[in-house]
Amino acid sequence: MSSHHIVRDDQEPALIIANGEACSQELLEQLLEWSPLIIVLDSAVERVFELGIKIDVLLGDFDRGFDVNYYKEKQYPIEIVHTPNQDKTDLEKAFDYLIEKKHKAVNVIWATGRRADHTITNLTNIVAYRNLLKIVILDDHSKVYLLPTKFEKWYTANTILSLIPIGKVRGITTENLFYTLHNEDLTIGYRTGSSNQTIQDGIVSITHKNGDLLLMECWD
């Protein structure tokens, strides 16, 4: 599908392909176009090979059996990273790999859908990487990332935005959202900011005092 590697000074985010529900070809090609590094988790490698994607790094615990020579012959050159630690998910290990290699940002696809436990874990675990790696998880219906304590971005009117706290988030204030928050708290499982939307074209402002707050840009 794509050989990627048309990159400008390694400024673009790396790309991780996990093993959830596949995204559209259009989204996949958009992300491949400028990604300087493509990492595939071992559980997804055969699905990725079927799409003809050039892989840079194959990473995982390889707990289903693994033949190094098979993958090196299948696609050369490729870096094989064996990460047997069972205390972290393969996606977290891929984040650790990127931090070690001094990457600053990454897009992640195929990380949602299919098993609910994997989806929840993938979305919530990104909070552990605050200030270490800018992580964006994308699928065909949403774009998810962790907010700084002060956030401003321009959106068109009626854009669906969901504020999802990981644990408790205190002192949230918003501007240009239909359901406005004024120094209020959100707590996962009790009160969240799901399916809010912009009032008009313009800047949306979201601030919070402390806690881990995810923003989900959503479309149907």
Side-chain angles (χ1 to χ4, degrees):
M1 175 184 289
S2 172
S3 61
H4 69 274
H5 299 321
I6 306 173
V7 184
R8 296 167 294 186
D9 300 324
D10 200 29
Q11 295 175 347
E12 301 293 334
L15 178 65
I16 297 173
I17 304 178
N19 194 34
E21 191 68 30
C23 64
S24 66
Q25 181 173 332
E26 179 182 6
L27 176 58
L28 180 59
E29 290 182 346
Q30 288 174 0
L31 295 172
L32 287 171
E33 185 66 24
W34 295 107
S35 295
L37 184 74
I38 309 298
I39 300 177
V40 175
L41 305 188
D42 64 344
S43 53
V45 65
E46 294 300 334
R47 298 169 63 197
V48 173
F49 280 160
E50 290 175 359
L51 297 175
I53 297 171
K54 175 65 183 74
I55 299 171
D56 296 299
V57 179
L58 175 58
L59 180 148
D61 53 23
F62 307 118
D63 55 1
R64 296 178 179 85
F66 180 68
D67 183 346
V68 173
N69 292 328
Y70 169 79
Y71 289 105
K72 287 185 175 180
E73 292 172 3
K74 188 90 172 177
Q75 192 172 110
Y76 182 86
I78 186 171
E79 180 181 359
I80 308 294
V81 180
H82 183 211
T83 54
N85 180 8
Q86 296 298 313
D87 293 330
K88 290 190 174 184
T89 67
D90 284 347
L91 183 56
E92 290 175 287
K93 297 170 194 175
F95 294 153
D96 292 339
Y97 172 91
L98 288 171
I99 293 167
E100 181 181 349
K101 298 296 183 181
K102 309 300 182 184
H103 284 264
K104 303 299 183 183
V106 61
N107 293 317
V108 184
I109 55 174
W110 297 17
T112 59
R114 294 195 170 187
R115 283 181 53 174
D117 56 342
H118 289 173
T119 296
I120 293 170
T121 299
N122 292 340
L123 291 175
T124 57
N125 280 1
I126 65 176
V127 303
Y129 293 89
R130 179 186 291 279
N131 302 324
L132 297 173
L133 187 66
K134 182 179 179 180
I135 301 167
V136 178
I137 296 180
L138 302 105
D139 58 32
D140 291 329
H141 303 285
S142 58
K143 178 179 180 180
V144 185
Y145 49 96
L146 186 64
L147 289 183
T149 54
K150 182 177 181 180
F151 171 84
E152 291 184 339
K153 184 177 176 180
W154 192 96
Y155 292 97
T156 58
N158 302 314
T159 299
I160 300 172
L161 299 176
S162 290
L163 296 175
I164 306 299
I166 305 303
K168 186 168 187 174
V169 180
R170 295 179 172 85
I172 304 169
T173 298
T174 65
E175 296 179 10
N176 195 21
L177 290 180
F178 186 81
Y179 300 104
T180 303
L181 297 174
H182 297 285
N183 194 30
E184 298 176 55
D185 299 346
L186 295 178
T187 304
I188 193 70
Y190 293 91
R191 186 191 183 198
T192 64
S194 182
S195 295
N196 210 329
Q197 64 184 52
T198 56
I199 299 170
Q200 60 188 1
D201 292 357
I203 294 292
V204 169
S205 172
I206 304 168
T207 62
H208 67 280
K209 293 179 179 177
N210 57 65
D212 296 310
L213 186 61
L214 296 181
L215 179 65
M216 298 185 176
E217 301 175 5
C218 305
W219 48 92
D220 294 326

